[in-house]
Coordinates of all heavy atoms in Angstrom, one line a residue:
D983 N 2.1 33.8 29.6 CA 1.0 33.6 30.6 C -0.3 34.3 30.1 O -1.4 34.1 30.6 CB 1.4 34.2 32.0 CG 2.4 33.2 32.7 OD1 2.6 32.1 32.2 OD2 2.9 33.6 33.7
R984 N -0.2 35.2 29.1 CA -1.3 35.9 28.6 C -1.8 35.4 27.3 O -2.9 35.8 26.8 CB -1.1 37.4 28.5 CG -0.2 37.8 27.4 CD 0.0 39.3 27.2 NE 0.8 39.6 26.1 CZ 0.4 39.7 24.9 NH1 -0.8 39.4 24.6 NH2 1.3 40.0 23.9
V985 N -1.1 34.3 26.8 CA -1.6 33.7 25.5 C -2.7 32.7 25.9 O -2.4 31.7 26.6 CB -0.4 32.9 24.8 CG1 -0.9 32.2 23.6 CG2 0.7 33.9 24.4
D986 N -3.9 33.0 25.5 CA -5.1 32.2 26.0 C -4.9 30.7 25.7 O -5.2 29.9 26.6 CB -6.3 32.7 25.2 CG -6.8 34.0 25.8 OD1 -6.5 34.3 27.0 OD2 -7.6 34.7 25.1
E987 N -4.5 30.3 24.5 CA -4.5 28.9 24.2 C -3.4 28.1 25.0 O -3.4 26.9 25.1 CB -4.3 28.7 22.7 CG -2.9 29.1 22.2 CD -2.8 28.7 20.7 OE1 -3.8 28.6 20.0 OE2 -1.6 28.5 20.3
A988 N -2.4 28.9 25.6 CA -1.3 28.2 26.3 C -1.7 28.1 27.8 O -0.9 27.5 28.6 CB 0.0 29.0 26.1
R989 N -2.8 28.6 28.2 CA -3.2 28.5 29.6 C -3.9 27.1 29.9 O -4.4 26.5 29.0 CB -4.2 29.6 30.0 CG -3.6 31.0 29.9 CD -4.7 32.0 30.2 NE -4.2 33.4 30.1 CZ -5.0 34.5 30.2 NH1 -6.3 34.3 30.4 NH2 -4.5 35.7 30.1
S990 N -3.9 26.8 31.1 CA -4.7 25.6 31.6 C -6.1 25.8 31.4 O -6.6 27.0 31.5 CB -4.3 25.2 33.0 OG -5.2 24.3 33.5
V991 N -6.9 24.8 31.2 CA -8.3 24.9 31.1 C -8.9 25.4 32.4 O -10.0 25.9 32.5 CB -9.0 23.5 30.7 CG1 -8.9 22.5 31.8 CG2 -10.4 23.7 30.2
F992 N -8.2 25.2 33.5 CA -8.6 25.7 34.8 C -8.2 27.1 35.2 O -8.4 27.5 36.3 CB -8.1 24.7 35.9 CG -8.8 23.4 35.9 CD1 -8.1 22.3 35.4 CD2 -10.1 23.2 36.3 CE1 -8.7 21.0 35.3 CE2 -10.7 21.9 36.2 CZ -10.0 20.8 35.7
S993 N -7.5 27.8 34.3 CA -7.0 29.1 34.6 C -8.2 30.0 34.9 O -9.2 30.0 34.3 CB -6.2 29.7 33.4 OG -7.0 29.7 32.2
G994 N -8.0 30.8 35.9 CA -9.1 31.6 36.5 C -9.7 32.7 35.5 O -8.9 33.5 35.0
R995 N -11.0 32.6 35.2 CA -11.7 33.6 34.4 C -13.1 33.6 34.9 O -13.6 32.7 35.6 CB -11.6 33.2 32.9 CG -10.3 33.5 32.3 CD -10.2 33.0 30.9 NE -11.4 33.3 30.0 CZ -11.4 33.1 28.7 NH1 -10.4 32.5 28.1 NH2 -12.5 33.3 28.0
D996 N -13.8 34.7 34.6 CA -15.2 34.8 35.0 C -16.1 33.7 34.4 O -17.1 33.4 35.0 CB -15.7 36.2 34.6 CG -15.1 37.3 35.4 OD1 -14.7 37.1 36.6 OD2 -14.9 38.4 34.9
D997 N -15.7 33.2 33.2 CA -16.5 32.2 32.6 C -16.0 30.8 32.8 O -16.2 29.9 32.0 CB -16.6 32.5 31.1 CG -15.3 32.4 30.4 OD1 -14.2 32.4 31.1 OD2 -15.2 32.4 29.1
L998 N -15.3 30.6 33.9 CA -14.6 29.3 34.1 C -15.6 28.1 34.1 O -15.3 27.1 33.4 CB -13.9 29.3 35.5 CG -13.2 28.0 35.9 CD1 -12.1 27.7 34.8 CD2 -12.5 28.2 37.3
I999 N -16.7 28.2 34.7 CA -17.6 27.1 34.8 C -18.2 26.8 33.4 O -18.2 25.6 33.0 CB -18.8 27.3 35.8 CG1 -18.2 27.5 37.2 CG2 -19.8 26.2 35.7 CD1 -19.2 27.9 38.2
A1000 N -18.6 27.8 32.7 CA -19.1 27.6 31.3 C -18.0 27.0 30.4 O -18.2 26.1 29.6 CB -19.6 28.9 30.7
R1001 N -16.8 27.5 30.6 CA -15.7 27.0 29.8 C -15.3 25.5 30.1 O -15.0 24.7 29.2 CB -14.4 27.9 30.0 CG -13.3 27.6 29.1 CD -12.4 28.8 28.9 NE -12.0 29.3 30.2 CZ -10.8 29.0 30.8 NH1 -9.9 28.3 30.1 NH2 -10.5 29.5 31.9
L1002 N -15.3 25.2 31.4 CA -15.0 23.8 31.7 C -16.1 22.9 31.2 O -15.8 21.8 30.7 CB -15.0 23.7 33.3 CG -13.7 24.2 34.0 CD1 -13.9 24.2 35.5 CD2 -12.5 23.5 33.5
G1003 N -17.4 23.3 31.2 CA -18.4 22.5 30.7 C -18.3 22.3 29.2 O -18.4 21.2 28.7
F1004 N -18.0 23.4 28.5 CA -17.9 23.3 27.0 C -16.7 22.5 26.6 O -16.8 21.6 25.8 CB -17.8 24.7 26.4 CG -17.7 24.7 24.9 CD1 -18.8 24.6 24.1 CD2 -16.5 24.8 24.3 CE1 -18.7 24.6 22.8 CE2 -16.3 24.8 23.0 CZ -17.5 24.7 22.2
C1005 N -15.6 22.7 27.3 CA -14.3 22.1 26.8 C -14.2 20.6 27.3 O -13.7 19.8 26.5 CB -13.1 22.8 27.4 SG -12.9 24.5 26.8
L1006 N -14.7 20.3 28.4 CA -14.5 18.9 29.0 C -15.7 18.1 29.1 O -15.6 16.9 29.3 CB -13.9 19.1 30.4 CG -12.6 19.8 30.5 CD1 -12.1 19.8 31.9 CD2 -11.5 19.3 29.5
G1007 N -16.9 18.7 28.9 CA -18.2 17.9 29.2 C -18.3 16.6 28.4 O -18.4 15.5 28.9
I1008 N -18.3 16.7 27.1 CA -18.5 15.5 26.2 C -17.3 14.6 26.3 O -17.4 13.4 26.1 CB -18.9 15.9 24.8 CG1 -17.7 16.5 24.0 CG2 -20.1 16.8 24.8 CD1 -18.0 16.6 22.5
T1009 N -16.1 15.2 26.6 CA -14.9 14.3 26.7 C -15.1 13.4 27.9 O -14.8 12.2 27.9 CB -13.6 15.1 26.9 OG1 -13.6 16.0 25.7 CG2 -12.4 14.3 26.9
L1010 N -15.5 13.9 29.0 CA -15.7 13.1 30.2 C -16.9 12.2 30.0 O -16.8 11.0 30.5 CB -16.0 14.1 31.4 CG -14.8 14.9 32.0 CD1 -15.3 16.0 32.9 CD2 -13.8 13.9 32.6
L1011 N -18.0 12.6 29.4 CA -19.1 11.7 29.1 C -18.6 10.5 28.2 O -19.0 9.4 28.5 CB -20.2 12.5 28.4 CG -21.4 11.7 28.0 CD1 -22.1 11.1 29.2 CD2 -22.4 12.5 27.2
A1012 N -17.9 10.8 27.2 CA -17.4 9.7 26.3 C -16.5 8.8 27.1 O -16.5 7.6 26.9 CB -16.6 10.3 25.1
L1013 N -15.6 9.3 28.0 CA -14.8 8.5 28.8 C -15.6 7.6 29.7 O -15.3 6.4 29.8 CB -13.9 9.3 29.7 CG -12.9 8.6 30.6 CD1 -12.0 7.7 29.8 CD2 -12.1 9.6 31.4
G1014 N -16.7 8.1 30.3 CA -17.6 7.3 31.1 C -18.3 6.2 30.2 O -18.4 5.0 30.7
V1015 N -18.7 6.5 29.0 CA -19.3 5.5 28.1 C -18.4 4.4 27.8 O -18.7 3.2 27.8 CB -19.9 6.2 26.9 CG1 -20.2 5.2 25.8 CG2 -21.0 7.1 27.2
S1016 N -17.1 4.8 27.5 CA -16.1 3.8 27.1 C -15.7 2.9 28.3 O -15.6 1.7 28.2 CB -14.9 4.5 26.5 OG -15.2 5.0 25.2
L1017 N -15.6 3.5 29.5 CA -15.3 2.7 30.7 C -16.4 1.7 31.0 O -16.2 0.6 31.4 CB -15.1 3.6 31.9 CG -13.7 4.4 31.9 CD1 -13.7 5.5 33.0 CD2 -12.5 3.5 32.0
W1018 N -17.7 2.2 30.8 CA -18.8 1.3 31.1 C -18.9 0.2 30.0 O -19.1 -1.0 30.4 CB -20.1 2.1 31.0 CG -21.4 1.3 31.2 CD1 -22.4 1.1 30.3 CD2 -21.8 0.6 32.4 NE1 -23.3 0.3 30.8 CE2 -23.0 -0.1 32.1 CE3 -21.2 0.4 33.6 CZ2 -23.7 -0.8 33.0 CZ3 -21.9 -0.4 34.6 CH2 -23.1 -1.0 34.3
S1019 N -18.6 0.5 28.8 CA -18.5 -0.5 27.7 C -17.4 -1.5 28.0 O -17.6 -2.7 27.8 CB -18.3 0.1 26.4 OG -19.4 1.0 26.0
L1020 N -16.3 -1.0 28.5 CA -15.2 -1.9 28.8 C -15.5 -2.8 30.0 O -15.2 -4.0 30.0 CB -13.9 -1.1 29.2 CG -12.6 -1.8 29.2 CD1 -12.2 -2.3 27.7 CD2 -11.5 -0.9 29.7
H1021 N -16.2 -2.3 30.9 CA -16.7 -3.1 32.1 C -17.7 -4.2 31.6 O -17.6 -5.3 32.2 CB -17.4 -2.2 33.1 CG -18.1 -2.9 34.2 ND1 -17.4 -3.5 35.2 CD2 -19.4 -3.1 34.5 CE1 -18.2 -4.1 36.1 NE2 -19.5 -3.8 35.6
R1022 N -18.5 -3.9 30.7 CA -19.4 -4.9 30.1 C -18.8 -5.7 29.0 O -19.5 -6.6 28.5 CB -20.7 -4.1 29.6 CG -21.4 -3.3 30.6 CD -22.6 -2.6 30.0 NE -23.6 -3.5 29.4 CZ -24.6 -3.1 28.6 NH1 -24.7 -1.8 28.3 NH2 -25.4 -3.9 28.1
R1023 N -17.5 -5.5 28.8 CA -16.8 -6.3 27.8 C -17.4 -6.2 26.4 O -17.5 -7.2 25.6 CB -16.6 -7.7 28.2 CG -15.9 -7.9 29.5 CD -15.4 -9.3 29.8 NE -14.4 -9.6 28.8 CZ -13.1 -9.3 28.9 NH1 -12.7 -8.5 29.9 NH2 -12.2 -9.7 28.0
R1024 N -17.8 -5.0 26.0 CA -18.4 -4.7 24.7 C -17.4 -4.0 23.9 O -16.9 -2.9 24.3 CB -19.7 -3.9 24.8 CG -20.8 -4.7 25.5 CD -22.1 -3.8 25.6 NE -22.6 -3.5 24.2 CZ -23.6 -2.8 24.0 NH1 -24.3 -2.2 25.0 NH2 -24.0 -2.5 22.8
Q1025 N -17.0 -4.5 22.7 CA -16.0 -3.9 21.8 C -14.8 -3.4 22.6 O -14.4 -2.2 22.6 CB -16.7 -2.7 21.1 CG -17.8 -3.2 20.2 CD -18.6 -2.1 19.6 OE1 -18.8 -1.0 20.2 NE2 -19.1 -2.2 18.3
V1026 N -14.2 -4.3 23.3 CA -13.1 -4.0 24.2 C -12.0 -3.3 23.5 O -11.4 -2.3 24.0 CB -12.6 -5.3 24.9 CG1 -11.4 -5.0 25.7 CG2 -13.7 -5.8 25.8
R1027 N -11.6 -3.9 22.4 CA -10.5 -3.3 21.6 C -10.7 -1.9 21.3 O -9.8 -1.0 21.5 CB -10.2 -4.1 20.4 CG -9.1 -3.6 19.4 CD -8.9 -4.6 18.3 NE -7.9 -4.1 17.4 CZ -8.2 -3.3 16.3 NH1 -9.5 -3.0 16.0 NH2 -7.2 -2.9 15.5
A1028 N -11.8 -1.5 20.8 CA -12.1 -0.1 20.4 C -12.2 0.8 21.6 O -11.6 1.9 21.5 CB -13.4 -0.1 19.6
H1029 N -12.9 0.4 22.6 CA -13.0 1.3 23.8 C -11.7 1.4 24.5 O -11.5 2.5 25.2 CB -14.2 0.8 24.6 CG -15.5 1.1 24.1 ND1 -16.0 2.4 24.0 CD2 -16.4 0.3 23.5 CE1 -17.2 2.3 23.5 NE2 -17.5 1.0 23.1
L1030 N -10.8 0.5 24.4 CA -9.5 0.7 25.0 C -8.8 1.8 24.3 O -8.1 2.7 25.0 CB -8.7 -0.6 24.9 CG -7.3 -0.6 25.4 CD1 -7.3 -0.3 26.9 CD2 -6.5 -1.9 25.2

């Protein structure tokens, strides 16, 4: 439980908001971009 890399990204720390933004921000943005491309049927195979 004290091994940092084995904790959840949501494990409580003073820098939780900054850590969530850094770790998940571009992943969520890319997921949104791919879902939108899939909706528009652009490069469906790749975005899947």
Side-chain angles (χ1 to χ4, degrees):
D983 288 350
R984 70 176 182 83
V985 177
D986 283 340
E987 69 174 25
R989 297 176 179 176
S990 168
V991 72
F992 291 104
S993 60
R995 281 172 49 172
D996 292 329
D997 63 346
L998 177 60
I999 296 177
R1001 184 157 55 99
L1002 286 174
F1004 180 83
C1005 294
L1006 303 183
I1008 68 168
T1009 305
L1010 289 168
L1011 178 63
L1013 181 59
V1015 167
S1016 288
L1017 287 170
W1018 178 245
S1019 298
L1020 198 63
H1021 172 72
R1022 298 176 63 189
R1023 303 195 65 80
R1024 296 181 60 182
Q1025 296 174 327
V1026 172
R1027 176 175 176 266
H1029 285 287
L1030 179 61

